[in-house]
Amino acid sequence: MGLREPAVTPRISVVVAQPTPFCNIACSYCYLPGRSDRSVMSPDTVRALFARVFASGWCAPELTIIWHAGEPLVVPVEFYEQAFATIEALRPADVTVRHSFQTNGMLLSERWCSLLRQWQVGIGVSIDGPRRFNDEHRLTRDGRSTFDRTLAGIRLLKAQGIPFHVITVLSEHSLLEPEVLLGFYRAEGIEDVCFNVEESEGAHVSGLFASADPQGRYRQFLRSFWRLARREGGIRFIREIDSLLPRIFRPGEDEVQNIQVEPFAMLNVDCHGNVATFSPELLGLKNDAYGDFLIGNIVRDSLEEMRASPVLAAMTRDIAAGVERCRAECGYFSVCGGGAPVNKLTENGTFGSTRTAFCALTQMVPTDLVLEAFEQVQRGLEAVPPEALAPAPMAAGSARAAPAT
Ligand code: SF4
């Protein structure tokens, strides 16, 4: 089981487009810079972006477009009506496009639901569980709770029959109470869940990362949540487990694609048209070796010109070195494919490194749990029903491509 060889021709699988950097709330763990900046991506930038992507010949047959990196619903519905129509008019017949929002859900309305339904937009809502967990970090700019309005948005999606998933950032406190989180999801009819762990980013210091044995605590949480969810029902998809199953149990020659380590596989574009690639979180960061990580501007530069960027060459070289070290040193490589460059850089100071606290939590722990469950099923211990090891079906959401926010 190996990693796909570096593509000779780039292949764009995901575009993360920033309609605006602005966010209507101020979560304490947010890594996004410029969240008070009300700039909006212009129609010309939308057109230039997708004209170049589709004309490049680099576009994957199924392109996911994630509108993110600010709160996407603070721009008007009309922005997306125009943008989606522009993209549809430019789209080659042999490419399918799937739009996706990651939102705090507070601004959802029937008008938004009409748009979601019309364009079959995947939607993920960020909520950190019941009120006492959610309001640890997810607060308005003046420090008030976001819980009621986010939950109202989720209930509206349910009432309108619109599929969605939630992303819950686990804190050192919610990690201790998987049954409370499960009870909340079941009570609200939330069936597809994704967990992120609270990371230390910018000025925010993660209580989880600062605590003793975060890996062991996360393992305990995920094991308990998975077992409870299977036993009690109501949860269809746990991203941390279900998206991993086809990566673990797959034909030997099948390749794992890690789009964060391939240049252009993720094209990350801010509202001014500035372009970065690899991990989406790099857009907006700065670094002595790579500057602002930008490889060009989509209005000014062709993708071929960006491909010749010295910054891209340096990042590609260093990220590839890290992947090769992972390949040589890590027993999880065939599942992981070399990790998240942004975490290698921010945690270890270099793309050329291997293990991070992030990969231990997101790759190693879930893989160990799946293999542990598989072994128990093999030995007839029945701790996990065999059907739990089949990939779960999922609603038409987009959690597999959900950014780690
Ligand atoms: S789990 Fe970590 S060390 Fe292993 S391949 Fe992935 S990034 Fe590299």
Side-chain angles (χ1 to χ4, degrees):
M1 296 189 288
L3 182 71
R4 201 160 64 81
E5 287 299 312
V8 175
T9 302
R11 183 175 60 181
I12 302 170
S13 299
V14 175
V15 174
V16 182
Q18 179 189 56
T20 177
F22 184 77
C23 185
N24 54 334
I25 65 173
C27 301
S28 57
Y29 48 50
C30 180
Y31 67 85
L32 297 172
R35 55 186 168 170
S36 296
D37 179 350
R38 291 181 178 269
S39 303
V40 175
M41 184 178 276
S42 73
D44 287 346
T45 302
V46 173
R47 180 177 300 280
L49 167 57
F50 290 97
R52 291 197 194 278
V53 166
F54 292 140
S56 67
W58 300 353
C59 192
E62 295 179 358
L63 179 68
T64 299
I65 303 172
I66 301 173
W67 299 91
H68 182 56
E71 166 52 45
L73 303 195
V74 298
V75 300
V77 175
E78 290 82 0
F79 171 90
Y80 296 102
E81 289 173 339
Q82 185 176 0
F84 292 179
T86 298
I87 294 164
E88 183 61 16
L90 293 166
R91 179 180 65 82
D94 58 352
V95 172
T96 59
V97 162
R98 174 134 184 85
H99 294 285
S100 167
F101 291 150
Q102 184 60 39
T103 174
N104 59 46
M106 295 172 69
L107 300 172
L108 282 165
S109 64
E110 292 195 7
R111 179 103 192 266
W112 281 112
C113 289
S114 298
L115 180 94
L116 298 174
R117 195 179 293 109
Q118 180 186 351
W119 291 91
Q120 298 188 308
V121 180
I123 182 158
V125 181
S126 299
I127 189 166
D128 289 352
R131 185 185 303 274
R132 71 185 159 99
F133 295 149
N134 186 75
D135 291 351
E136 276 187 58
H137 297 295
R138 302 192 64 80
L139 297 170
T140 64
R141 286 167 175 268
D142 55 2
R144 286 179 291 124
S145 170
T146 60
F147 181 76
D148 290 330
R149 287 183 67 190
T150 296
L151 191 59
I154 287 173
R155 288 176 175 171
L156 180 64
L157 293 173
K158 287 293 291 183
Q160 298 263 331
I162 294 174
F164 66 97
H165 62 267
V166 300
I167 294 184
T168 290
V169 177
L170 295 165
S171 71
E172 59 179 322
H173 302 119
S174 57
L175 261 188
L176 299 173
E177 301 191 58
E179 67 288 349
V180 173
L181 281 173
L182 179 62
F184 171 73
Y185 301 139
R186 283 164 49 88
E188 295 298 335
I190 295 167
E191 297 173 312
D192 298 333
V193 299
C194 312
F195 294 115
N196 287 345
V197 287
E198 180 197 337
E199 294 177 72
S200 295
E201 282 172 313
H204 177 71
V205 177
S206 160
L208 171 61
F209 276 29
S211 69
D213 192 19
Q215 198 174 325
R217 297 174 71 189
Y218 181 62
R219 179 185 297 111
Q220 184 59 36
F221 167 84
L222 199 54
R223 181 192 283 125
S224 300
F225 185 89
W226 185 21
R227 289 182 175 176
L228 283 167
R230 296 297 179 193
R231 193 174 71 210
E232 298 187 18
I235 303 295
R236 175 173 40 199
F237 179 84
I238 305 168
R239 182 188 59 185
E240 285 50 52
I241 300 293
D242 291 305
S243 69
L244 205 61
L245 295 175
R247 297 168 79 93
I248 296 175
F249 302 108
R250 66 182 198 273
E253 298 308 312
D254 268 17
E255 300 160 340
V256 164
Q257 188 191 14
N258 177 359
I259 60 174
Q260 286 201 43
V261 303
E262 291 185 22
F264 292 100
M266 292 189 92
L267 202 63
N268 310 313
V269 186
D270 76 12
C271 67
H272 303 295
N274 296 312
V275 178
T277 183
F278 305 113
S279 306
E281 298 90 342
L282 293 172
L283 189 60
L285 297 183
K286 288 197 179 352
N287 172 276
D288 287 345
Y290 315 106
D292 52 15
F293 300 97
L294 299 181
I295 60 173
N297 184 284
I298 203 69
V299 177
R300 187 188 61 222
D301 306 313
S302 70
L303 292 177
E304 282 290 0
E305 286 170 322
M306 294 183 206
R307 196 180 185 191
S309 139
V311 172
L312 181 69
M315 289 195 289
T316 302
R317 177 198 63 215
D318 296 345
I319 288 171
V323 170
E324 287 314 305
R325 281 195 60 198
C326 281
R327 188 195 303 273
E329 297 172 16
C330 179
Y332 298 82
F333 180 80
S334 72
V335 173
C336 166
V342 69
N343 292 90
K344 291 183 175 184
L345 188 67
T346 54
E347 288 191 36
N348 301 332
T350 169
F351 284 138
S353 60
T354 57
R355 181 183 172 122
T356 61
F358 184 75
C359 77
L361 294 177
T362 59
Q363 303 293 327
M364 297 177 181
V365 166
T367 301
D368 288 348
L369 286 179
V370 169
L371 294 178
E372 172 190 288
F374 182 67
E375 189 184 328
Q376 287 174 326
V377 170
Q378 294 282 74
R379 292 166 58 201
L381 298 180
E382 297 291 330
V384 177
E387 62 272 21
L389 291 175
M394 186 187 171
S398 57
R400 284 181 178 82
T405 298

